[in-house]
Amino acid sequence: NTADEAYMNMGLAYAYMKNYDQAFYNLNIATQLNPGNWQAYQIIGAIYQQKGDAQTAQQYFNQASAVKQQLGQ
């Protein structure tokens, strides 16, 4: 799905610029458009880790891993 990938890429770009609100906004749209987009969950986790919220980061990393397993990857 190219739409979810576009939102994921925008989220990643905002994350690099440390504009985390816009990053979360775009990454959440990516996961809504494609719940199988495990990379978006991984990036959200990385942002939370960067912000010092290890517990929330781990939740998103776990979500990414679970989705990845469901897809057989």
Side-chain angles (χ1 to χ4, degrees):
N1 186 340
T2 57
D4 73 290
E5 290 173 5
Y7 279 103
M8 183 184 71
N9 289 332
M10 285 190 294
L12 189 57
Y14 280 116
Y16 280 127
M17 294 185 288
K18 299 190 186 316
N19 185 339
Y20 298 129
D21 290 339
Q22 282 298 313
F24 286 135
Y25 175 79
N26 284 281
L27 291 163
N28 283 320
I29 291 174
T31 61
Q32 290 171 8
L33 290 172
N34 180 6
N37 186 336
W38 62 269
Q39 297 99 327
Y41 294 112
Q42 191 80 22
I43 296 166
I44 294 170
I47 294 169
Y48 276 110
Q49 192 172 43
Q50 179 76 20
K51 292 179 70 162
D53 187 345
Q55 184 174 359
T56 304
Q58 190 59 53
Q59 291 172 353
Y60 279 96
F61 292 146
N62 291 345
Q63 179 72 19
S65 180
V67 170
K68 201 172 173 183
Q69 280 185 334
Q70 288 172 354
L71 296 173
Q73 296 182 358

